[in-house]
Amino acid sequence: MRDIEWENALYDHQHMMIKRLDAHRKKNKTESLSNDERMAVEHSFQLLVASMLDLAKYVLKNHYNVDVETRDQVLDELIKHKDVTYEQGQQIASLIKIRDQILNDYLEQNFTGLDDALKIKRYALVEVLTKEWTARLEA
């Protein structure tokens, strides 16, 4: 059963995370980030990717009646149901990989992968997919 309030709140949340990431991306790169700033950017990125995967699980359940147990299975199901193009699938895989690196390698403090994703603004795909997927639910 659809929850329009949740969908709208999720979209607003994603939009806020994207604005934070955009603000970081536009900052003067000669200034190094403090640990707090780096953590804020990493956390915003993690939340954005997690929200995309949660919305995908929601769409799979409400549009295809497919229950996906974990976020790890989401991309495979999206591809199976042709809800993403090949290019989008590759971009989602890249976002997931960066998110996993942040989650699992947090002691490494390796900001390079995330910084590269921010430079080319890969994360903007999340907002596009949110609009596409919620439109699909309305059909």
Side-chain angles (χ1 to χ4, degrees):
M1 177 178 230
R2 284 190 69 187
D3 184 346
I4 303 296
E5 283 184 42
W6 180 82
E7 292 174 24
N8 291 334
L10 183 77
Y11 178 78
D12 292 343
H13 175 271
Q14 288 176 339
H15 192 70
M16 283 182 6
M17 294 303 108
I18 288 171
K19 283 174 65 173
R20 279 190 198 159
L21 294 172
D22 280 345
H24 165 71
R25 187 177 54 81
K26 294 173 183 175
K27 280 180 74 174
N28 183 350
K29 297 303 175 206
T30 58
E31 299 174 28
S32 60
L33 293 176
S34 71
N35 279 342
D36 288 345
E37 290 172 320
R38 183 183 53 75
M39 288 176 66
V41 171
E42 287 178 344
H43 189 65
S44 294
F45 185 83
Q46 289 174 14
L47 289 173
L48 182 64
V49 175
S51 71
M52 173 191 64
L53 296 173
D54 288 345
L55 177 63
K57 283 176 62 175
Y58 173 85
V59 170
L60 289 165
K61 181 176 183 167
N62 287 286
H63 189 65
Y64 297 108
N65 203 26
V66 172
D67 281 320
V68 178
E69 302 263 334
T70 67
R71 289 177 178 155
D72 294 341
Q73 301 167 324
V74 169
L75 182 55
D76 291 338
E77 286 295 325
L78 291 172
I79 292 169
K80 178 179 169 184
H81 291 286
K82 297 181 170 83
D83 271 322
V84 293
T85 65
Y86 176 79
E87 182 179 284
Q88 288 172 333
Q90 294 298 309
Q91 289 178 334
I92 291 170
S94 176
L95 294 173
I96 292 169
K97 181 180 176 190
I98 293 166
R99 178 182 173 269
D100 288 348
Q101 286 173 334
I102 293 168
L103 285 170
N104 298 316
D105 299 334
Y106 54 88
L107 294 177
E108 298 293 319
Q109 297 188 357
N110 184 356
F111 202 64
T112 309
L114 178 57
D115 209 31
D116 290 344
L118 296 178
K119 283 179 191 171
I120 58 177
K121 203 175 174 181
R122 280 191 182 145
Y123 57 88
L125 172 69
V126 174
E127 197 165 31
V128 171
L129 290 174
T130 296
K131 288 179 183 178
E132 286 180 14
W133 292 339
T134 52
R136 186 164 295 125
L137 289 171
E138 292 170 6

